[in-house]
Structures are given as C-alpha cells and as structure tokens.
C-alpha cells in the first residue's frame, strides 16, 4: 500500500461536510431524524455522509474493507472484517449526532485505517472549523499538519475529563461513583472525537469509557497514543478493537491512568 495522502482525506471530509452535513446543520426536518436500536439518534446526514465516505475511501484502497456505524446497525457481521488479512476503514460519519441534532457545535467526522489489530492512520475532522486532526502510527499526532504533544497533570485533583454514565455493570459503577469526586471537573462534550483531540492537546486529561464501539474510539486512541498519551482497560491492557471491550481509561500519560486504575481498585 502506498502512503495515504493527508490532503486527499481532508478534501474528502471537506467536500462531504460542505455538500451533505453542513446544509443540514440547524436545518434538520422531522423526517431527517430517526432512531436506531430504539434509542440511538441517526439523521439523513449521517447516512448520506457514510455512503459518500465509503465510496471515496474504497477508491484509495480498492481491495480494502469498510466498517461504518450506520452500516453496522443493519449488518453486525461486518465487524468480522477486523479478523481478515486486509486493510479496513472504520468510520463514524457524524460523531456527536445528538449535538448535531440540537444545533450544538461539537461534532466530527471520524475515520481510521487498520490492518489486523494495528491502527495505522486516523483522522478526526471538525466540519464547522475546517480543522483536521490526524495521527500516523509511529510518526505522531497532528492538527492541520502541525505536530502536537500532550501535556499532563500529576494528580487527580487537578484533572479535567469525562466519565461514561451508562452501560456499566453494577460493581464497576459503584467504584466509579466513588472516584468521581476525586477530579477537578467531570463533564462530557457528548462528542468523544473532540474529547480525544483535547486529551491529545493536553486541554483535557482523561476519559473513563464504557460501550466501546470501534468507530467511536479507534481514531481517537491512535491520536492520543501518538501525542504521548496512553490507554488501558481495567485489566491494564491496551485497547484492542478486534475484541469486545467493556471499559477503557484514556489519559495524558500511563502514570496518570495507573492512578485512576489504582483508585478504582481494578
């Protein structure tokens, strides 16, 4: 495979944002909004953007596979592409759909390219700002082509981040409720792509996550790793998108994540 041209991915994201996403921003009609799985919002913009992303990305690597959030809702078997000996694109066409529906500012296009269990490239594109955040395995994390390095705090009482509030088992949730007040502030953006970028930049310090859908986390995990940050589950293992994950701690450093893990008694 030839090296992916960053300008090609940004052009794809820019064009899809201009043509399919931003025209619907603060302009959604009732028929544009539906629910999948009974509770998760999806809009006509999500569906149209994912189809166009698939068309464009498969042209870059014609023999590659594609896993999109909206396609998965209709065919869960596509998750098995991660087990194949092929390159695979993973896409969340609009991360932060609830924000998008409410006309709020934080939503993003998220893309990753993997091979087997290795994350090779990732992109988090902010349509309203036309900002591309990307990472390349073993080369670094970048915002509009400028390499970035995370900053970190030493103790939990100085840390700002988020904690998932749903999908925990009772035992883990009891531990999390106890640790919540240890931090300086706990608040979600309701757009994990933005949170991953801010952890990478050092503007935020952590996220404690449940229900790890790969399109929500593969792009951001590589971005944080390449910025100098770290991720681990409650068993002190790195995120592996090829298996079903129940929890994850993402932070500015491994040492900081271990502080959280120790407090959880995991």
């Amino acid at each position: 495979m030839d090296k992916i041209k960053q300008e090609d991915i940004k052009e794809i994201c820019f064009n899809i944002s201009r043509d399919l996403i931003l025209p619907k921003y603060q302009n959604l009609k009732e028929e544009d909004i539906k629910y999948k799985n009974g509770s998760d919002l999806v809009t006509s913009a999500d569906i149209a953007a994912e189809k166009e992303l698939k068309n464009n990305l498969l042209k870059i690597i014609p023999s590659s596979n594609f896993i999109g959030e909206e396609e998965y809702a209709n065919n869960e078997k596509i998750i098995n592409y991660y087990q194949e000996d092929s390159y695979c694109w993973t896409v969340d066409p609009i991360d932060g759909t609830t924000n998008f529906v409410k006309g709020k500012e934080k939503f993003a296009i998220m893309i990753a390219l993997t091979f087997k269990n290795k994350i090779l490239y990732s992109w988090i594109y902010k349509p309203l700002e036309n900002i591309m955040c990307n990472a390349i395995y073993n080369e670094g994390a970048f915002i509009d082509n400028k390499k970035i390095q995370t900053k970190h705090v030493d103790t939990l009482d100085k840390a700002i981040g988020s904690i998932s509030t749903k999908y925990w088992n009772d035992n883990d949730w009891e531990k999390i409720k106890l640790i919540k007040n240890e931090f300086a502030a706990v608040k979600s953006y309701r757009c994990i792509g933005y949170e991953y970028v801010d952890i990478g930049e050092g503007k935020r310090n952590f996220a404690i996550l449940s229900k790890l859908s790969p399109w929500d986390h593969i792009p951001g995990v590589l971005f944080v790793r390449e910025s100098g940050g770290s991720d681990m589950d409650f068993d002190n293992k790195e995120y592996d998108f090829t298996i079903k994950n129940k929890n994850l701690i993402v932070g500015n450093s491994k040492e900081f994540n271990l502080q959280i893990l120790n407090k959880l008694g995991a």
Side-chain angles (χ1 to χ4, degrees):
M1 183 191 76
D2 294 332
K3 192 165 185 177
I4 303 292
K5 294 179 180 177
Q6 300 301 319
E7 59 269 24
D8 289 349
I9 305 296
K10 183 165 185 180
E11 183 180 11
I12 289 167
C13 291
F14 175 83
N15 290 340
I16 288 172
S17 296
R18 179 195 62 201
D19 299 340
L20 300 174
I21 297 175
L22 293 180
K24 294 289 186 179
Y25 178 60
Q26 298 183 337
N27 193 36
L28 289 165
K29 297 179 173 59
E30 188 175 342
E31 58 267 27
D32 288 320
I33 305 169
K34 295 180 182 177
Y35 287 88
K36 59 187 178 184
N37 308 320
S39 60
D40 294 331
L41 277 170
V42 61
T43 72
S44 59
D46 290 86
I47 294 166
E50 183 170 296
K51 286 180 180 176
E52 196 61 22
L53 284 162
K54 182 177 183 178
N55 290 339
N56 281 275
L57 295 172
L58 293 185
K59 288 176 185 175
I60 295 174
I61 309 176
S63 60
S64 57
N65 290 319
F66 180 92
I67 296 174
E69 179 178 9
E70 310 315 329
E71 275 200 17
Y72 176 80
N74 297 314
N75 179 14
E76 293 186 2
K77 290 181 179 178
I78 63 174
I79 207 76
N80 295 324
Y81 287 150
Y82 291 135
Q83 311 301 330
E84 295 185 7
D85 207 23
S86 303
Y87 292 102
C88 185
W89 300 96
T90 302
V91 163
D92 187 344
I94 303 178
D95 175 57
T97 298
T98 299
N99 288 347
F100 182 73
V101 168
K102 291 181 177 179
K104 295 183 177 180
E105 294 179 357
K106 288 183 170 63
F107 58 92
I109 297 173
M110 298 179 72
I111 304 170
L113 181 66
T114 59
F115 187 86
K116 300 292 278 186
N117 66 347
K118 183 176 285 187
I119 313 171
L120 303 175
Y121 294 88
S122 74
W123 299 268
I124 300 172
Y125 178 73
K126 301 178 177 181
L128 286 174
E129 301 161 85
N130 187 27
I131 291 174
M132 177 59 86
C133 313
N134 73 286
I136 306 171
Y137 178 69
N138 271 350
E139 292 189 26
F142 307 84
I143 297 179
D144 282 343
N145 298 318
K146 183 179 179 182
K147 193 169 186 177
I148 62 123
Q149 189 75 23
T150 195
K151 307 179 217 37
H152 55 85
V153 293
D154 298 323
T155 56
L156 272 58
D157 62 352
K158 297 176 184 174
I160 298 168
S162 67
I163 300 173
S164 296
T165 57
K166 297 189 290 185
Y167 309 113
W168 297 105
N169 65 47
D170 291 343
N171 185 47
D172 286 341
W173 182 236
E174 289 304 314
K175 294 176 182 176
I176 285 163
K177 283 194 292 186
L178 290 173
I179 195 178
K180 186 175 180 180
N181 293 330
E182 300 268 350
F183 300 105
V186 176
K187 186 176 181 181
S188 170
Y189 288 163
R190 298 189 67 82
C191 174
I192 193 62
Y194 264 73
E195 292 191 29
Y196 273 118
V197 170
D198 278 5
I199 292 170
E201 286 193 271
K203 293 178 180 177
R204 286 169 80 87
N205 308 111
F206 72 93
I208 305 174
L209 303 162
S210 62
K211 196 190 177 187
L212 301 172
S213 300
W215 42 84
D216 287 329
H217 300 288
I218 298 176
V221 162
L222 184 65
F223 187 85
V224 169
R225 286 176 183 174
E226 291 296 326
S227 74
S230 175
D231 57 274
M232 62 180 65
D233 66 16
F234 289 3
D235 294 318
N236 197 7
K237 295 177 182 176
E238 277 197 333
Y239 175 60
D240 180 355
F241 59 90
T242 66
I243 60 175
K244 192 165 186 177
N245 298 269
K246 294 181 180 179
N247 50 64
L248 190 69
I249 302 168
V250 180
N252 306 130
S253 71
K254 184 174 183 178
E255 293 74 22
F256 183 78
N257 290 354
L258 285 169
Q259 285 189 55
I260 296 175
L261 201 59
N262 290 334
K263 283 283 185 180
L264 289 171

